[in-house]
Amino acid sequence: MARLLRKINSCLAFFMLSVFASQCFAESSSASSTNTVKESRQYIEMMYGIFDYVQKNYIDEVDPGVLYRGALKGMLESLNDPYTLYLDTSTMRSLSDTTEGKFGGVGLYISKMAESTPDKPAYVEVASPIEDTPGFRAGIQAGDVIISVNGTDTSEITMEEVLGMLRGKVGEEVNLVIRRGKNMEFPVTLVRDFIEVPTVKYGMITPPANKNAKYGYIRIIDFTPNTAERVQDALNSFEKKISALIIDLRNNGGGLITSAVDVADKFIDNGSIVTTKSRIAYENSVFPASPRKTTFRGMPIIVLINRGTASASEIVSGALKDNHLAYLVGQRSYGKGSVQNVVPLSATDGIKMTIARYYTPSDMNIDKIGIPPDREVLYPELGEEGEKEYGELIKNDDVSKYVESHPDMTEADISAFAQTLNKKYTHIDERMFRKLIRNQVNRTKPTPLYDLDYDIQLNAALDILAKEDFATLVKNTKTLKELQEAAELQKSAEEKHSAKN
């Protein structure tokens, strides 16, 4: 008990110090600032008093740790920021596991709104699956919503509780209910595995439109302390063998901002890569490019993005776009433009808090907006009938049953079975069937580097490099700031036109 009270006192001291430090570095020392300090002190004293009162007077004996954790959770959740939260023992351990790149889990990057209402339940949304993991092999996609985990409604539990249910002992089953689109829901059973996040995969592609050309292909899966080094390994392997480079940032949920800067610096030799801006001026940072770190110049670069491209991967794609060094192909990115800091409160718990927003070289923050591609290429969406058929396909387990009874399927076998399925489920594209079958065939194998049969966005990138004037395309692209200004002008013009009518 005494130990916990010392911990509470240290936490209160930490927050009081933060309040006073913020005021000391504020530009104004007005009466309102002084009142804020007094008000903050009063609230902290009231919290301490309430804690003590509940501890002594509640009808049942109360674990002080429960009150401590509840107070911190409520305080941070009141900010209505899904990235600011209390980190209990299991969550802190999970964060450490993620940083080290190995843990028992299902392999999904997820997000969850802090507030849940009857009209808008705060279900868990999949930001992106991690490659070669149970979630990825099961076909879970960016944008899917997890309705329940092991029968528990995810709208009624916290993000930490969801993570605690998804992660755990390797080999145990985790039962999910997935919602895709407006109406399609289906169950998925995943078996936890060691999630070892590979940071970079690479190889060369010969485009179908030009058999004499070779393009480098780098897929960055996550931004870790080793990512920049692995990217350099890829570039070294391509030396004098390629005429263009494709950087695939799709389904990259982010990672370390310093890692993103180090990767971008390999292509950008001057100016800023990213700027972070905080409420407190002295915490603002500029991450400049360094010519001596730039190792790749003078060659066309295409960056692939989609709605699973988030955070650190948006820093890289935004920096390359604003510097007119790359052409973006695919789908608008996720839109996470904030920076978080982890503050340990003890050896076993802490808080994660948003401390800044980041801005691209053209001074644009993309939070909740995302980065639009220069060339939009979208996968066809299932219609109402297609959604029903997809639900039936999953429920009937047609693909896994067939693959299990037909081991060692070839591409010809995959194509033939896809045609058979297409006759039964007529509102689903045959190419999607081939992808689903291929995923099942490869479920116990490393994921192929790319899939030119299904990947229309990668094919679009190859066609651009092989058939179009790349230098002119990149020269004519607009920075993110210019795009925003153009959108605001258009909106203003539309409002004026509407007012006249």
Side-chain angles (χ1 to χ4, degrees):
M1 175 66 182
R3 187 176 179 181
L4 181 61
L5 286 175
R6 286 197 300 271
K7 185 175 180 182
I8 293 167
N9 282 328
S10 67
C11 290
L12 292 174
F14 167 79
F15 287 116
M16 285 296 289
L17 179 62
S18 299
V19 170
F20 293 135
S22 297
Q23 295 304 322
C24 288
F25 285 97
E27 294 181 2
S28 171
S29 58
S30 63
S32 61
S33 297
T34 303
N35 290 337
T36 300
V37 173
K38 290 181 178 179
E39 189 176 16
S40 298
R41 184 189 296 115
Q42 289 170 356
Y43 282 134
I44 291 172
E45 290 173 352
M46 286 169 63
M47 286 174 60
Y48 189 91
I50 292 170
F51 185 98
D52 185 60
Y53 182 81
V54 172
Q55 182 72 28
K56 292 177 178 177
N57 295 281
Y58 186 69
I59 188 170
D60 297 319
E61 187 174 346
V62 179
D63 179 355
V66 171
L67 298 181
Y68 161 77
R69 289 186 291 273
L72 288 182
K73 286 180 183 178
M75 182 191 304
L76 298 175
E77 287 177 3
S78 71
L79 300 174
N80 200 29
D81 175 1
Y83 308 112
T84 294
L85 64 159
Y86 169 70
L87 305 173
D88 59 17
T89 301
S90 63
T91 312
M92 280 287 282
R93 183 173 61 248
S94 297
L95 189 63
S96 176
D97 291 341
T98 303
T99 303
E100 293 174 5
K102 185 176 181 180
F103 54 88
V106 298
L108 300 173
Y109 288 114
I110 59 174
S111 65
K112 188 180 192 298
M113 292 302 296
E115 185 177 353
S116 183
T117 65
D119 294 332
K120 194 175 182 181
Y123 292 122
V124 170
E125 183 178 357
V126 176
S128 62
I130 300 173
E131 289 208 10
D132 290 332
T133 65
F136 182 87
R137 289 192 289 268
I140 294 176
Q141 302 175 6
D144 283 351
V145 174
I146 302 176
I147 301 298
S148 69
V149 180
N150 292 336
T152 301
D153 188 327
T154 62
S155 70
E156 298 176 354
I157 57 177
T158 65
M159 180 69 146
E160 305 97 282
E161 291 170 324
V162 173
L163 288 172
M165 297 174 77
L166 294 177
R167 294 185 176 186
K169 187 177 179 181
V170 170
E172 289 184 346
E173 288 187 351
V174 181
N175 298 302
L176 310 180
V177 174
I178 300 294
R179 176 180 293 167
R180 182 170 298 162
K182 294 182 179 179
N183 304 310
M184 182 168 55
E185 290 187 11
F186 52 91
V188 175
T189 298
L190 306 176
V191 178
R192 289 196 197 99
D193 197 356
F194 281 117
I195 308 301
E196 298 182 5
V197 182
T199 183
V200 172
K201 292 185 177 182
Y202 60 90
M204 288 189 286
I205 302 178
T206 298
N210 184 358
K211 298 294 184 180
N212 296 320
K214 287 189 182 296
Y215 304 146
Y217 174 82
I218 300 177
R219 182 190 300 143
I220 303 177
I221 301 164
D222 202 11
F223 286 94
T224 73
N226 299 319
T227 302
E229 185 179 350
R230 298 287 84 81
V231 168
Q232 190 58 52
D233 290 343
L235 296 176
N236 291 342
S237 75
F238 299 149
E239 190 174 4
K240 298 180 181 179
K241 298 175 186 175
I242 63 172
S243 57
L245 178 66
I246 297 172
I247 302 174
D248 193 343
L249 294 176
R250 293 173 297 177
N251 296 326
N252 182 323
L256 302 176
I257 186 172
T258 50
S259 177
V261 169
D262 289 342
V263 169
D265 211 354
K266 296 189 178 298
F267 308 98
I268 303 170
D269 59 10
N270 65 80
S272 74
I273 292 172
V274 66
T275 301
T276 63
K277 299 180 183 181
S278 171
R279 189 178 66 171
I280 305 171
Y282 79 92
E283 291 184 349
N284 295 345
S285 299
V286 177
F287 295 84
S290 171
R292 64 183 177 82
K293 294 182 180 179
T294 306
T295 59
F296 190 91
R297 296 180 175 91
M299 208 174 285
I301 302 173
I302 285 184
V303 176
L304 298 176
I305 61 173
N306 66 2
R307 62 180 174 181
T309 302
S311 193
S313 55
E314 291 175 297
I315 288 175
V316 174
S317 51
L320 292 174
K321 176 174 174 56
D322 276 355
N323 279 281
H324 297 280
L325 291 174
Y327 194 74
L328 274 53
V329 174
Q331 182 183 26
R332 183 180 288 270
S333 66
Y334 185 80
K336 180 180 179 293
S338 58
V339 181
Q340 284 70 43
N341 187 31
V342 175
V343 181
L345 299 178
S346 71
T348 58
D349 70 342
I351 64 171
K352 184 174 74 169
M353 185 171 68
T354 300
I355 58 168
R357 294 184 177 90
Y358 72 75
Y359 292 76
T360 68
S362 66
D363 199 34
M364 184 67 190
N365 177 256
I366 53 84
D367 198 48
K368 298 182 178 65
I369 299 173
I371 297 174
D374 299 306
R375 180 77 56 87
E376 187 176 58
V377 180
L378 302 177
Y379 286 92
E381 294 186 359
L382 292 173
E384 186 176 342
E385 289 299 318
E387 288 186 354
K388 290 180 181 178
E389 290 184 351
Y390 191 90
E392 291 175 13
L393 175 69
I394 298 298
K395 183 179 179 180
N396 295 336
D397 207 17
D398 289 338
V399 174
S400 60
K401 287 178 181 176
Y402 187 89
V403 171
E404 186 176 348
S405 62
H406 295 77
D408 304 317
M409 290 179 69
T410 65
E411 278 298 318
D413 296 330
I414 290 172
S415 181
F417 183 46
Q419 291 175 14
T420 300
L421 287 174
N422 198 220
K423 292 176 182 177
K424 181 179 179 181
Y425 303 101
T426 58
H427 293 85
I428 300 176
D429 185 68
E430 190 175 314
R431 179 167 48 193
M432 181 179 288
F433 285 123
R434 291 198 297 271
K435 175 67 171 175
L436 293 171
I437 299 165
R438 197 175 291 116
N439 283 348
Q440 189 65 25
V441 170
N442 294 328
R443 70 192 183 282
T444 58
K445 305 173 185 177
T447 303
L449 184 59
Y450 48 80
D451 183 353
L452 289 180
D453 175 49
Y454 179 78
D455 197 340
I456 60 175
Q457 294 171 340
L458 178 56
N459 275 294
L462 295 174
D463 284 344
I464 289 169
L465 292 170
K467 300 176 182 178
E468 300 187 39
D469 184 348
F470 186 83
T472 301
L473 281 178
V474 172
K475 182 181 178 181
N476 291 334
T477 59
K478 294 181 178 180
T479 67
L480 292 171
K481 190 71 171 181
E482 289 170 340
L483 288 173
Q484 179 65 18
E485 290 171 347
E488 289 173 355
L489 286 173
Q490 182 178 353
K491 182 180 178 181
S492 176
E494 288 174 354
E495 288 174 349
K496 289 179 181 178
H497 179 73
S498 223
K500 288 180 181 179
N501 294 334

